[in-house]
Structures are given as C-alpha cells and as structure tokens.
Amino acid sequence: MTIHQKSITRAHATITRAKSNGAATFCSGIGQFDTHKNDGQDYTGITGKDIAALVQAPPNVDKDKARWFIPSDYLAHDAREHDAQRTHGRFYWLPLDVDDNDLSRQDVSDAVAAVTGGARFLMYSSRSAKPDNRKWRALVPLKTPIEGLDYYDTVAAFNDLLADASAGVLIADRALQRPGQLIYLPNKGDFYESEIAKGALLDLAVSHPIIKRRDETRRQRAEADAKAREWKNWKARQPASDNSNIVDAFNAANTVADLLARYGYARAGQSQDYRSPMQQSGS
C-alpha cells in the first residue's frame, strides 16, 4: 500500500494528512500504549477499505496488539490529543460503541439504519463480547468530513437519536464523542458477528435529522448559558447576602455544578450537559 503524506499549513500549524491511492487514510496504531507524543513521529494510516477487510476477516490477538483508529485524517505526533484533533482533525466516520443490554445485531442494525436513513455502515462485535453478553461497534462513513470543532456535538446528536429510535434500549458509550478517543477495530473473541450494510455514504446536509438535533442542542445550551450569565449578573448587583438567611447562605456556598457532581451526575466533557446516575437512556 502506497502512502502519500501531505502537509498543509493552517493557522501556523503543520497539518499532516495522508492519502493511499487517492483515498483518505485515518490515524491508526497498535495497542493503547502506541503513542508518538514525545518522539515527534507521525502515526500510520489505515483506509476505509482496510477497515472493511478487517470486519470480514478479523484477527485474534491480545488487546495490547490490537489495532485501533481515530476517524480523522490528522496523523501528526499529537493526533491522540483531544485538543489537537478538535483543532486540526477532519472526521470521516460517525462511531458507535454499545456495551449494554445484550442487544442483537439486528437491534443495533435497525437503529443505525433508522437514524441514518439507510446509509452505508460497518458493524462488528467487540473483542470482549460473549454469546450471552453481546457488545457492538458500528462505523458510518460520511460523504463529506466534519471539522474537529463539530465532532463532539455531531456524534452526541447521533447517539441521542439512536436512543430515541430504540426507545432508550440502545445506550451508546459516550466516550467515543471525544475527538481523540481510540476506536478498536475488529478483533475476534469468544463471540464474533459482523455486518456491512450497503448504501450511499451518509450525507450530513443541513436538513439531516442528526444536524437538526445537533443544532437544537446547541441552541438550548446557548440559551441556558445566557440565562446563567443573566442570573450571575443579577446576583452581582444585589446587596451582600445576609447569612442569617439560610437560602442565601446555601447559594453562596454551593454551585449547581458542585451539587450535580456530589450526587453522582456525570458531566459530558467540558460541556454543561449532565447525565443522572439513574438515567437509562443514552441521551
């Protein structure tokens, strides 16, 4: 396989991308300790064709020898860093990781097809899957890549819609929303099933439900942030609180974020989104 490296200067940074026979290649490595952060070397690349071949004929190796990829064509030495991928990455896939509820391949396939409108996707069981505890990964290739700054919210919208389409039964692992998160490629364990669904590449046009959900979530977040700033400004204009008033004393000593963390709510990255510890759906 011939790999052609191409460097692009953007905002004073050298962006390392690669092509293999004209096809985009994506950041890849072997095992979780495969990192080039300190040695300055670029990562190797893997193509969509290579990934499809692994789905059809997976290896059977220990996890420390398992191949992973990041669905971005940014391959520089810092490509495993979330901030680097957020700034420089262009993402060609929407990923899905499902570990809960022992769903069948058909369950996951139906939900993905419903959300994407019958677009092409690859699906395979995880290395740790068992016949009575099925786990899945799915990869949806995109017609046009999305920028790193849009990746988190776009994958989050994809996961939200999958939860809706499955009535809350399909619970995605939200870690894959992070732009530098490793996605392990097919590696056969005790149980292995796969599917390559034919169809067109997913076109995330403005009117697509995934983009609509993403934009609506951003609108609600901006609205909540504006209300929080308004309250903060109002509070700053008030006279110093009388600590004999138990409500004022409590508000002065606590923030909403601190209280949510104290009671087990999980924050989604650096956003203002939280999930209840009692929540069953993935949204």
Side-chain angles (χ1 to χ4, degrees):
M1 179 175 63
T2 301
I3 301 292
H4 171 64
Q5 298 286 349
K6 182 178 181 181
S7 294
I8 304 172
T9 301
R10 182 196 298 169
H12 307 296
T14 299
I15 311 302
T16 301
R17 309 200 188 278
K19 293 283 185 179
S20 174
N21 298 324
T25 68
F26 315 107
C27 182
S28 185
I30 303 292
Q32 64 177 333
F33 298 111
D34 185 354
T35 177
H36 298 287
K37 182 178 180 180
N38 297 322
D39 66 20
Q41 300 296 312
D42 294 343
Y43 286 88
T44 57
I46 189 168
T47 68
K49 185 176 180 179
D50 297 330
I51 294 172
L54 288 173
V55 171
Q56 294 176 309
N60 184 343
V61 297
D62 293 336
K63 190 171 183 179
D64 61 354
K65 298 178 182 178
R67 179 167 288 279
W68 52 261
F69 94 124
I70 296 170
S72 160
D73 65 358
Y74 178 66
L75 278 67
H77 69 280
D78 58 350
R80 285 187 59 174
E81 300 296 312
H82 297 305
D83 286 343
Q85 287 290 359
R86 189 177 296 112
T87 301
H88 305 304
R90 296 184 309 188
F91 290 79
Y92 287 72
W93 305 77
L94 294 183
L96 170 65
D97 191 3
V98 183
D99 291 338
D100 297 321
N101 291 338
D102 186 28
L103 299 182
S104 71
R105 177 170 56 83
Q106 194 65 51
D107 291 334
V108 179
S109 177
D110 288 347
V112 173
V115 171
T116 64
R120 184 185 311 174
F121 67 87
L122 315 177
M123 189 168 70
Y124 54 95
S125 49
S126 305
R127 167 76 172 177
S128 60
K130 307 290 184 183
D132 59 350
N133 186 19
R134 292 164 292 183
K135 303 178 181 182
W136 304 97
R137 291 194 180 97
L139 302 170
V140 183
L142 302 175
K143 181 178 180 180
T144 303
I146 54 178
E147 296 296 322
L149 288 173
D150 289 326
Y151 184 72
Y152 182 97
D153 286 342
T154 307
V155 180
F158 177 50
N159 288 334
D160 290 346
L161 291 174
L162 287 167
D164 293 347
S166 64
V169 175
L170 191 159
I171 302 174
D173 182 348
R174 297 281 173 154
L176 294 196
Q177 295 171 184
R178 299 181 294 184
Q181 185 69 30
L182 305 185
I183 302 171
Y184 280 92
L185 292 169
N187 184 15
K188 190 175 183 179
D190 294 340
F191 169 82
Y192 187 80
E193 286 185 2
S194 66
E195 178 178 346
I196 298 181
K198 296 181 179 180
L201 295 177
L202 178 60
D203 184 2
L204 289 181
V206 175
S207 60
H208 195 281
I210 292 174
I211 300 303
K212 287 184 176 180
R213 173 61 72 93
R214 183 190 74 185
D215 291 348
E216 175 61 18
T217 298
R218 287 175 168 175
R219 186 196 66 76
Q220 292 177 3
R221 184 185 301 151
E223 185 177 275
D225 288 345
K227 288 181 179 179
R229 287 193 300 271
E230 182 181 344
W231 181 89
K232 186 176 181 180
N233 291 336
W234 174 85
K235 189 70 174 176
R237 294 192 299 268
Q238 305 310 304
S241 61
D242 178 2
N243 286 338
S244 63
N245 182 316
I246 191 170
V247 174
D248 284 346
F250 181 86
N251 288 341
N254 297 275
T255 67
V256 172
D258 291 338
L259 292 170
L260 289 172
R262 183 183 307 171
Y263 293 107
Y265 282 72
R267 185 177 182 181
Q270 298 302 310
S271 73
Q272 297 303 311
D273 301 329
Y274 291 82
R275 293 187 67 221
S276 164
M278 304 301 292
Q279 186 172 333
Q280 295 299 313
S281 74
S283 61

